[in-house]
Amino acid sequence: MNKVKSLNQKDLLGLKDLSLEEIKLILNTARSMKEVAARPIPKVPTLLGKHIITLFYEASTRTRTSFNMAAKILSANITNVAISSSSVVKGENLIDTVKNLEVMGTDAIIIRHSMAGAPHLAAANIKASVINAGDGFNEHPTQGLLDIFTMQEKKGKLKGKKVLIVGDIYHSRVARSNIWGLTKLGAKVVVVGPPTMIPKDIEQLKVKVSYNLDQEIEDADFINMLRIQKERQEKGLFPSIEEYHRLYGLNIERMKKAKKDVVVMHPGPINRGVEITSEVADGPYNVILDQVTNGVAVRAALLFLLLGGKNNSD
Ligand code: CP
């Protein structure tokens, strides 16, 4: 199969839409970007003159900041629109907002929104690139890519590796992007959680469903713990935090059942003591801060590829 050198699309809306070759291209480019980010002066002129806007309708620490860092490494200009002091509070709709931002000379708009499909709607209405930084329950593609990048960094090829995604699968855009990406790379994905938190049709995405973490943990290569998303739950989906932690929380006792080289991941922010204890989140198996570091490289790779760069390194 011919290796692709650039992304054949103006937007990055989800890993569902990417081919295996495109995912590999982004991950390979991210390896080069990680080397650039680690230099004493982490700056290259690649995107000099490009203008990028972040438009986040939901809170963020990691995603928004790492897009800012990535843009600055590539010498692009970046502007963060603060929704709470923008004309969105006067009722301006998404399409009008992105059209107005585009005509200021914007090359890419990075959008986070509580509604699934909001970045897709924006992308269909402007010529500038749109990057999905998380849309409702749907996808968080750059999180999926940085998770996969981190997994490959720790264990090489993912074909045949067992990946547990544990917790609130129903509300998790991180879970969906991981599933789309990991299954394309040949990993064996098992989603684990209480029945109330697992969508009925999830098996159609070529994953195994389990309600028993103790059974699945023994031969897992990776455990990706999801945050309990209290802000997206209309009603309680489990009896109590204690009950949830007893059945699905990752703690030292449960870790004794896992392989010695298991890798523990979490997209952040962490509810410490709920889905994972501090002893495990800060313990020897965790790569949680590596995930955050890798987010800069992955997002730089995407900006580079979407705004005109070609990867000729292999
Ligand atoms: N993982 C993640 O998306 O973190 P933020 O919400 O802080 O961006």
Side-chain angles (χ1 to χ4, degrees):
M1 195 185 295
N2 286 334
K3 282 189 174 174
V4 292
K5 302 268 186 208
S6 58
L7 290 177
N8 200 17
Q9 50 199 301
K10 83 172 176 74
D11 311 300
L12 189 276
L13 300 175
L15 297 196
K16 180 182 180 185
D17 309 322
L18 290 185
S19 68
L20 176 59
E21 287 305 306
E22 287 173 318
I23 291 174
K24 287 181 176 173
L25 171 71
I26 297 168
L27 296 170
N28 280 338
T29 309
R31 277 178 208 109
S32 308
M33 292 298 167
K34 188 160 180 180
E35 182 273 313
V36 173
R39 290 179 190 168
I41 300 174
K43 205 160 187 74
V44 289
T46 320
L47 296 186
L48 203 58
K50 299 286 184 187
H51 292 264
I52 297 165
I53 284 180
T54 71
L55 182 66
F56 277 41
Y57 290 78
E58 290 186 323
S60 168
T61 297
R62 282 147 286 268
T63 310
R64 190 170 197 157
T65 309
S66 57
F67 266 118
N68 274 263
M69 303 277 285
K72 285 168 185 167
I73 287 170
L74 297 172
S75 302
N77 295 314
I78 186 154
T79 303
N80 298 300
V81 174
I83 293 295
S84 61
S85 57
S86 76
S87 289
V88 171
V89 297
K90 300 177 198 162
E92 188 165 36
N93 70 29
L94 176 67
I95 294 173
D96 285 341
T97 301
V98 294
K99 280 185 169 175
N100 278 269
L101 293 174
E102 177 181 40
V103 295
M104 294 176 197
T106 303
D107 297 289
I109 304 183
I110 302 161
I111 299 178
R112 172 171 286 189
H113 203 287
S114 59
M115 297 297 294
H120 306 65
L121 182 66
N125 281 280
I126 58 175
K127 292 191 182 71
S129 291
V130 172
I131 299 177
N132 180 0
D135 64 323
F137 305 177
N138 181 39
E139 281 218 46
H140 189 349
T142 57
Q143 182 70 44
L145 288 165
L146 76 87
D147 288 345
I148 291 168
F149 183 93
T150 307
M151 290 180 196
Q152 289 185 334
E153 206 172 52
K154 302 299 167 193
K155 285 188 183 272
K157 286 196 189 319
L158 298 183
K159 195 173 172 64
K161 293 282 192 302
K162 179 173 176 179
V163 182
L164 305 189
I165 304 177
V166 184
D168 188 359
I169 310 295
Y170 187 89
H171 294 97
S172 178
R173 54 198 181 201
V174 175
R176 278 173 194 74
S177 286
N178 266 268
I179 289 168
W180 285 116
L182 286 167
T183 52
K184 285 177 189 184
L185 288 161
K188 291 189 286 186
V189 180
V190 183
V191 294
V192 187
T196 48
M197 290 184 172
I198 297 197
K200 284 191 179 54
D201 56 355
I202 196 86
E203 277 128 327
Q204 289 173 11
L205 303 187
K206 299 184 192 149
V207 299
K208 178 184 163 187
V209 171
S210 171
Y211 307 120
N212 190 328
L213 179 55
D214 289 313
Q215 245 169 34
E216 299 297 338
I217 203 169
E218 290 173 2
D219 58 347
D221 297 294
F222 299 94
I223 310 171
N224 197 351
M225 300 303 296
L226 300 176
R227 180 172 70 90
I228 292 297
Q229 302 198 22
K230 293 171 194 147
E231 75 275 25
R232 294 192 210 285
Q233 292 186 14
E234 285 150 22
K235 52 184 188 286
L237 295 176
F238 50 87
S240 70
I241 296 286
E242 291 73 24
E243 177 86 347
Y244 180 82
H245 184 77
R246 190 172 62 74
L247 292 171
Y248 298 105
L250 203 54
N251 52 38
I252 290 286
E253 271 315 296
R254 191 158 268 136
M255 283 299 293
K256 287 178 186 162
K257 298 178 180 160
K259 293 204 290 193
K260 293 288 166 253
D261 63 345
V262 71
V263 172
V264 172
M265 308 175 71
H266 193 300
I270 300 172
N271 295 307
R272 288 175 180 263
V274 180
E275 64 265 6
I276 189 167
T277 61
S278 287
E279 282 166 300
V280 179
D282 305 327
Y285 306 103
N286 102 81
V287 296
I288 296 169
L289 293 178
D290 298 274
Q291 291 172 258
V292 179
T293 302
N294 290 336
V296 177
V298 164
R299 290 171 177 128
L302 259 179
L303 293 175
F304 170 76
L305 291 167
L306 284 175
L307 297 184
K310 283 191 169 43
N311 186 344
N312 294 311
S313 64
D314 56 11

